[in-house]
Amino acid sequence: VQGSYANLTSGISVFVSGLVYLFVGLKALAGMFSVGNIVQYVGSINQFVSGLTEFMNQMTDLKMNREALGYYFDYMEMPETNMEDGLPITDAIGEIEFHDVSFRYPGTDSYILQHLSVTFSAGKKAAIVGMNGSGKTTLIKLLCGLYRPTEGKITLNGKDIQEYKYADYLKQIAVVFQDFKIFAYTLGENVAGNTRLDEKKVEESLAKAGFKARYDRLEKKAETYLTKEYVTDGVDVSGGEAQKIAIARALYKDAPIVILDEPTAALDPISEFDIYVRFNQMVENKMAIFISHRLSSCKFCDEIAVMDSGRMIQTGNHESLVADKKGKYYELWNAQAQYYKEEQECTI
Ligand code: ADP
């Protein structure tokens, strides 16, 4: 947009100055102007054209900034979530249950989740699998309280999650989303999510997430600044290392509910499976939810829910699901098994 405005501005400037030069030139040819007059006119034209260009540029900036500021003000005017009102969470986490939940994103018409009922229990490993776009992440956003169900409700230990103090509720959940962020703070602060941190626990969490060898090579250990954004001796980590840091962040939080929402999507299926299995061992006795569009990553889970176009169409463990030859799981499993085989052959 800015480019087209700039083109328009220079077009108008060239056109106006051309027109005026032509006028002055013709008048001079006809002997109506003296040399002194021409110099004076040319000076005025130049000044006028540069003034006009500057004016048009300022107008373009104003228009562009107005749009950007619009987003900023919309954001600033969003109502703040009240973090402190509601019931405190004092009991241990037992169950989170979706009761006939349907959902559409604010300002949209189509339902992304439809009549979803599912229970997640403490001490159990659950998986949600399904094609991209089937609504898995949306379900997790609702579970985290980032959005509210359009219809139906979500309960924790039998009470609607909206009745609880949101600050307390968030403390129960450690989630690693696909689009996790690494911040321009120290490694320790990135893992702890706080400037006050337990360095030993940071180190342990990183080691569990498979970052130990890299950590040992870092001169300043947990005090190492990540990214070079603010400090010249900051360290840029690779995509795989960033994933490990994000997973360590979830482990450090040590919350009773842990969720992995495909933070490994950039990895190949076999590496993803390794991370999921390792993470599964680390979260023993917690409520764990694994999300993936790759069925093999979640084979080991106690309960697997299959999502398709916003609906939960099958549940069971891997053996029972794969035995149902008419089911979606069987269809996806076979399609993907073929793909893994090809991939393995390719890497050999
Ligand atoms: P999955 O995790 O299974 O890949 P998602 O829950 O991310 O699926 O997305 C389900 C559907 O919701 C997609 O069609 C996506 O385009 C839509 N969607 C996701 N986020 C938003 C949003 N913020 N606003 C509107 N639609 C969205």
Side-chain angles (χ1 to χ4, degrees), residues 105-106 108 112-113 130-139 141 147 178 261-262 291:
Y105 280 97
T108 62
I112 301 296
L113 299 179
M131 311 257 280
N132 279 330
S134 55
K136 304 179 299 291
T137 298
T138 305
L139 183 151
K141 287 184 195 163
Y147 291 97
Q178 211 170 90
D261 183 4
E262 292 196 278
I291 315 287

Side-chain angles (χ1 to χ4, degrees), residues 45-289:
I45 299 164
N46 282 341
Q47 205 131 46
F48 173 73
V49 169
S50 70
L52 184 74
T53 312
E54 181 62 23
F55 174 74
M56 298 282 278
N57 286 342
Q58 292 289 338
M59 292 304 283
T60 311
D61 281 353
L62 209 63
K63 190 170 160 49
M64 304 296 292
N65 288 345
R66 199 175 68 103
E67 263 172 45
L69 275 175
Y71 292 125
Y72 174 73
F73 284 121
D74 284 350
Y75 173 70
M76 292 308 282
E77 279 161 17
M78 271 164 74
E80 266 192 46
T81 312
N82 189 335
M83 304 289 282
E84 295 304 329
D85 275 359
L87 304 169
I89 299 179
T90 45
D91 295 342
I93 299 298
E95 276 182 350
I96 291 196
E97 209 172 343
F98 280 58
H99 304 260
D100 200 18
V101 169
S102 296
F103 176 74
R104 45 192 161 83
Y105 280 97
T108 62
D109 292 331
S110 56
Y111 276 91
I112 301 296
L113 299 179
Q114 298 184 58
H115 303 290
L116 214 110
S117 294
V118 61
T119 306
F120 301 105
S121 310
K124 286 256 171 77
K125 319 283 177 233
I128 304 169
V129 299
M131 311 257 280
N132 279 330
S134 55
K136 304 179 299 291
T137 298
T138 305
L139 183 151
I140 297 305
K141 287 184 195 163
L142 260 67
L143 193 153
C144 294
L146 298 173
Y147 291 97
R148 292 182 173 183
T150 315
E151 286 152 35
K153 64 174 179 176
I154 305 169
T155 57
L156 163 65
N157 295 348
K159 274 205 187 76
D160 194 323
I161 58 171
Q162 292 175 32
E163 290 178 33
Y164 293 108
K165 214 191 264 191
Y166 194 47
D168 272 17
Y169 185 69
L170 285 182
K171 279 189 199 135
Q172 314 301 320
I173 307 174
V175 53
V176 194
F177 280 112
Q178 211 170 90
D179 56 348
F180 58 83
K181 296 276 180 287
I182 294 298
F183 302 103
Y185 294 126
T186 65
L187 174 61
E189 287 163 354
N190 264 282
V191 172
N194 206 318
T195 46
R196 270 173 291 139
L197 53 92
D198 177 344
E199 202 164 317
K200 197 160 165 4
K201 203 168 144 195
V202 166
E203 205 176 316
E204 276 167 17
S205 308
L206 283 167
K208 278 188 194 164
F211 196 79
K212 174 135 182 39
R214 182 79 173 94
Y215 185 83
D216 289 342
R217 286 205 310 275
L218 292 172
E219 210 178 299
K220 295 187 181 162
K221 306 287 182 235
E223 313 237 307
T224 309
Y225 268 94
L226 296 186
T227 82
K228 293 193 163 48
E229 212 164 321
Y230 296 119
V231 283
T232 43
D233 65 345
V235 169
D236 283 316
V237 290
S238 70
E241 288 165 350
Q243 275 165 352
K244 290 175 183 169
I245 296 170
I247 289 173
R249 189 183 289 157
L251 293 171
Y252 183 94
K253 191 170 178 187
D254 198 19
I257 306 169
V258 280
I259 304 170
L260 272 197
D261 183 4
E262 292 196 278
T264 46
L267 294 182
D268 62 84
I270 293 153
S271 315
E272 175 179 296
F273 177 70
D274 282 347
I275 290 193
Y276 274 43
V277 169
R278 212 138 51 86
F279 197 79
N280 183 42
Q281 288 154 0
M282 293 175 220
V283 297
E284 216 49 63
N285 305 322
K286 295 180 188 245
M287 179 192 292
I289 308 175

